[in-house]
Amino acid sequence: MSGVSIWSLDPSVCHLNHGSFGATPLPALEAQQRLRHLLEANPTRFMLDHYQPALDRARRRVAGFVGADVAGLGFVNNATSGVNAVLRSLEASLSPGDEIVITGHGYNACRNAVSVSAARCGARVITASFPFPIEDPRQVTDAVLDTITPRTRLLLIDSVTSPTALVLPVEELVSALEPEVEVLVDAAHAPGMIDFDVSSLGASYVTANCHKWMCSPKGAGFLYVREDRRQKIYPAVISHGYNGGWPSTGGHIHTQFDWIGTDDPTAWLTVPDALDAVGALQPDGWEGVRRTNRSLCLQARDLLVDVLRIDPPAPDEMIGAIASVPLPPSSGSAENIFDPLMADLRTRWAIEAMVFSWPGPPYRVLRVSAQQYNRVEEFERLAQALGSELSD
């Protein structure tokens, strides 16, 4: 299959928003459907006999892909679930006046989770602010480290930010803070998009999506917990593993996370199929996938800044396969976090691209993604549409 035919995307639409929800290659969808048939043919046998060995095989493959210790990796539905699991587990150890540091570029859902957990235990949420446009990743490091105090207990930091699409210097921050300050890395966009090795990173907690740049079916993500932190981390949904009811082997993380109630586990089990399908699109495998996606993304970014007549808002070293550009302030009203221009691009131009209200109305950013199914002509069409929309 070619880089285009491997997906079942609507060919009449320019799909420039892979970063939000991913897109699953057909071989992985077909493998998932085969597993669903197997599950429904004999649900009892599947869950009691087939599920755990298949899960262990998938876990080994994912752990190898991200450089993680297998014993510390548990599957979750998505990175937001992983963030919630860590925060809920840490609430009992937080005291009134303790501090959780986040950034002004964080994912809204995870910022909400921090706010709720902090309110439960009387902790304070401290926001590290750094600019966008940005000139140097040291601005991020300085901004975060300047917020750290003796009361800081946890830093929640994105490996790649969602609204502003910046690759952050997470390694430097982890090295500066751990183990005195625990670091939770929201790596939702990292695996499959940038070079990413969980063990060498050294953070206490890393959670990520498989459905984004690893291209698995929706509902697959993982949480990795460093060995010295594992015994205190539990899923947000407590189930049989809490008292060793079932499953009862594989270490604490596996016991707690492998079964949290009856669900469709086929997204987890078919992550290897997605990795195989996408990796085969380039002669040098996933290294080539990451390289070509990033090259196309930088081309797209340059097209957009040209039509906007602005300088690139971030250095190339802070760009992966997604890039954001600031837009002129909006004259319309935003619904939630999405600017009306996003709907206009969809309905008038058949283009799917993210337009966030960030850091809040009327300010906004346009974010594009580059995946193997994209072509530079699609980004040229976006640049044309953007020039037209902004001139109206």
Side-chain angles (χ1 to χ4, degrees):
M1 291 185 179
S2 71
V4 175
S5 63
I6 196 176
W7 277 276
S8 57
L9 294 164
D10 182 350
S12 68
V13 175
C14 291
H15 299 275
L16 310 182
N17 188 31
H18 184 92
S20 284
F21 308 109
T24 306
L26 287 168
L29 293 174
E30 292 162 356
Q32 184 181 36
Q33 190 57 46
R34 289 193 296 271
L35 282 176
R36 283 175 167 162
H37 283 310
L38 186 64
L39 165 61
E40 297 306 329
N42 191 334
T44 301
R45 182 176 181 179
F46 184 95
M47 291 299 190
L48 298 184
D49 295 343
H50 183 86
Y51 167 66
Q52 193 66 50
L55 185 70
D56 290 339
R57 288 192 296 271
R59 182 184 357 246
R60 287 192 295 269
R61 181 65 187 282
V62 171
F65 187 78
V66 301
D69 170 15
V70 173
L73 190 144
F75 281 104
V76 292
N77 288 341
N78 47 57
T80 303
S81 298
V83 167
N84 275 268
V86 172
L87 292 172
R88 292 293 297 272
S89 298
L90 297 182
E91 284 178 11
S93 65
L94 296 174
S95 302
D98 285 348
E99 296 170 352
I100 302 173
V101 173
I102 60 175
T103 80
H105 297 240
Y107 189 56
N108 182 61
C110 296
R111 291 167 60 91
N112 289 340
V114 169
S115 296
V116 171
S117 284
R120 286 193 182 111
C121 53
R124 300 176 61 211
V125 180
I126 307 297
T127 300
S129 298
F130 50 88
F132 182 76
I134 190 169
E135 297 178 355
D136 193 289
R138 287 176 294 184
Q139 293 173 271
V140 178
T141 307
D142 292 344
V144 172
L145 295 182
D146 284 349
T147 66
I148 303 300
T149 77
R151 297 304 302 268
T152 305
R153 299 293 176 260
L154 180 73
L155 166 66
L156 170 61
I157 185 79
D158 299 73
S159 55
V160 184
T161 63
S162 179
T164 49
L166 299 173
V167 179
L168 299 186
V170 174
E171 294 84 355
E172 289 85 346
L173 289 167
V174 170
S175 177
L177 295 175
E178 289 275 10
E180 288 79 11
V181 175
E182 298 182 7
V183 179
L184 166 55
V185 179
D186 179 358
H189 286 278
M193 188 177 79
I194 61 175
D195 290 332
F196 189 73
D197 187 275
V198 169
S199 294
S200 63
L201 179 59
S204 291
Y205 319 102
V206 179
T207 187
N209 292 312
C210 300
H211 72 262
K212 288 183 184 285
W213 298 95
M214 292 167 69
C215 300
S216 78
K218 312 301 182 284
F222 69 83
L223 171 65
Y224 175 79
V225 183
R226 201 174 65 209
E227 185 174 7
D228 59 317
R229 309 293 194 198
R230 288 173 192 167
Q231 293 302 314
K232 65 179 182 179
I233 299 301
Y234 294 86
V237 176
I238 299 299
S239 190
H240 292 292
Y242 186 77
N243 65 350
W246 177 63
S248 58
T249 60
H252 179 80
I253 296 299
H254 298 187
T255 300
Q256 300 304 317
F257 283 84
D258 283 5
W259 184 269
I260 53 172
T262 301
D263 203 345
D264 181 350
T266 57
W268 297 350
L269 305 184
T270 51
V271 177
D273 299 278
L275 293 176
D276 290 342
V278 178
L281 296 176
Q282 292 294 330
D284 50 352
W286 272 93
E287 181 179 349
V289 170
R290 291 190 295 268
R291 183 186 66 255
T292 54
N293 284 348
R294 181 173 184 269
S295 176
L296 182 56
C297 181
L298 289 171
Q299 287 182 268
R301 189 272 315 266
D302 290 346
L303 287 168
L304 295 175
V305 298
D306 283 349
V307 76
L308 292 168
R309 299 181 181 179
I310 61 174
D311 293 327
D316 289 0
E317 66 184 293
M318 298 184 76
I319 301 299
I322 53 175
S324 289
V325 294
L327 298 177
S330 175
S331 59
S333 59
E335 295 182 5
N336 300 318
I337 62 175
F338 305 116
D339 186 85
L341 175 59
M342 183 174 171
D344 291 340
L345 291 172
R346 175 183 300 120
T347 57
R348 298 177 184 175
W349 298 86
I351 295 173
E352 293 290 358
M354 291 297 293
V355 187
F356 294 101
S357 288
W358 189 90
Y363 303 105
R364 53 188 178 163
V365 295
L366 167 67
R367 192 191 76 188
V368 294
S369 303
Q371 183 51 277
Q372 295 292 292
Y373 51 77
N374 290 127
R375 306 180 310 278
V376 68
E377 291 81 9
E378 294 176 301
F379 297 103
E380 292 171 345
R381 176 173 171 79
L382 173 61
Q384 176 191 1
L386 187 60
S388 176
E389 289 291 329
L390 295 181
S391 65
D392 285 348

